[in-house]
Amino acid sequence: MQTLTLPRPDDWHLHLRDGAMLQAVLPETARHFARAIVMPNLVPPVVTLDDARAYHDRIMATLPPGMAFQPLMTLYLTEGTDPADVERAAASGLVKAVKLYPAGATTNSQSGVRDLAKVMPVLETMARIGLPLCTHGEVTTPEVDIFDREAVFIDTVLDPLRRRLPELRVVMEHITTEEGVAYAAQGGENLAATITTHHLILNRNHILAGGIRPHYYCLPVAKRERHRLALRRAATSGNPCYFLGTDSAPHVDALKEAACGCAGCFTATNTLSLLAHVFEEESALDRLEGFVARHGPAFYRLPVNTATITLEKRPDPCTWPEKIVSGSGPVTVFNPGFPVHWHVVT
Ligand code: DOR
Ligand code: ZN
């Protein structure tokens, strides 16, 4: 039997939602993860320091007794965001990043940014104080094919922005392409990229070939196989510019299995087992620790967790509930479609 003991991991991109959904999904993450960067795309979004403080307190009030978990809060960048509020938010220690959603790019992004020029004072402040910008890196122009939206964002938005503000610290969230992998690698110490668990497992055939599978649909949408392979090489490379951000994004089944289904894969429950499986397939189990527990804290200038987690490879496959129950309805747990033998034991 093989065992693997790692510093407790962190999730550098997570959707916890609010209310009944928060209550259902928070334990799924807190069971395995010490900290997470919590996305601000609630309705209404988490825009100000006061919003972030109130959301933080709701999360902590929902955490089951005996569970240790620290939510790292983010602010949702709008064209009305006040640079002084962002500076206070960073100084408070509660807020660790600001999230850029191009308006219309994804779930609850309608309050996002249409014109980057309007948020330059905020971005200049962030560059000065070293507060990271997390980017949903897709253009929303209808003429641009959905499978090209990430590469076009890099060329037309991200690269010009970083040339203009080289001191701005940027996280390319949930990269899905060879172009994203390559751009992150050449960006120096002010650039990093998160990779989700599901983008290491899925290509676009999994979503569309032989029937449409709504629980594999997320944004950015999974791409061709060569992109999935590039993501696997990046995640298992040991390069500290890549780290885990699951983008675990719960939606109730009724909103996924619909004529116009919501984007998001819910992977909090089984992410660590799946990652151990993937890293073993890539003969890189020794690099899992960097990806899930070391590279993220290094970029965010936070200590590595002292608590640990242990996984064991067992002959019997892991079993997970097919769905978790929330007060707003069932949420389907990501099903990789193959057996996984790495059990989280502590
Ligand atoms: O698939 C996604 N789901 N991508 C996002 O960017 C947002 C997320 C959500 O909030 O559901
Ligand atoms: Zn997300």
Side-chain angles (χ1 to χ4, degrees), residues 13-15 17 39 41 99 101 106 136 173-174 219-220 246-249:
H13 181 136
L14 176 66
H15 297 270
R17 316 297 192 206
M39 287 297 123
N41 62 334
K99 176 73 184 242
Y101 287 106
T106 188
H136 183 107
E173 302 275 39
H174 44 53
L219 288 171
T246 66
D247 199 13
S248 180

Side-chain angles (χ1 to χ4, degrees), residues 138-208:
E138 290 190 287
V139 294
T140 54
T141 338
E143 302 79 62
V144 177
D145 189 277
I146 190 163
F147 292 100
D148 298 331
R149 287 180 177 189
E150 179 172 300
V152 174
F153 180 87
I154 292 169
D155 289 346
T156 63
V157 181
L158 183 58
D159 192 59
L161 172 62
R162 295 189 59 255
R163 284 176 196 278
R164 172 147 177 210
L165 271 183
E167 300 306 315
L168 182 65
R169 314 191 68 236
V170 175
V171 182
M172 301 169 69
E173 302 275 39
H174 44 53
I175 54 169
T176 59
T177 58
E178 288 176 337
E179 290 86 347
V181 166
Y183 191 78
Q186 58 75 57
E189 61 177 16
N190 287 339
L191 186 64
T194 61
I195 301 176
T196 76
T197 306
H198 50 281
H199 287 113
L200 297 172
I201 294 173
L202 303 177
N203 64 33
R204 63 196 201 176
N205 277 18
H206 292 104
I207 312 171
L208 295 169

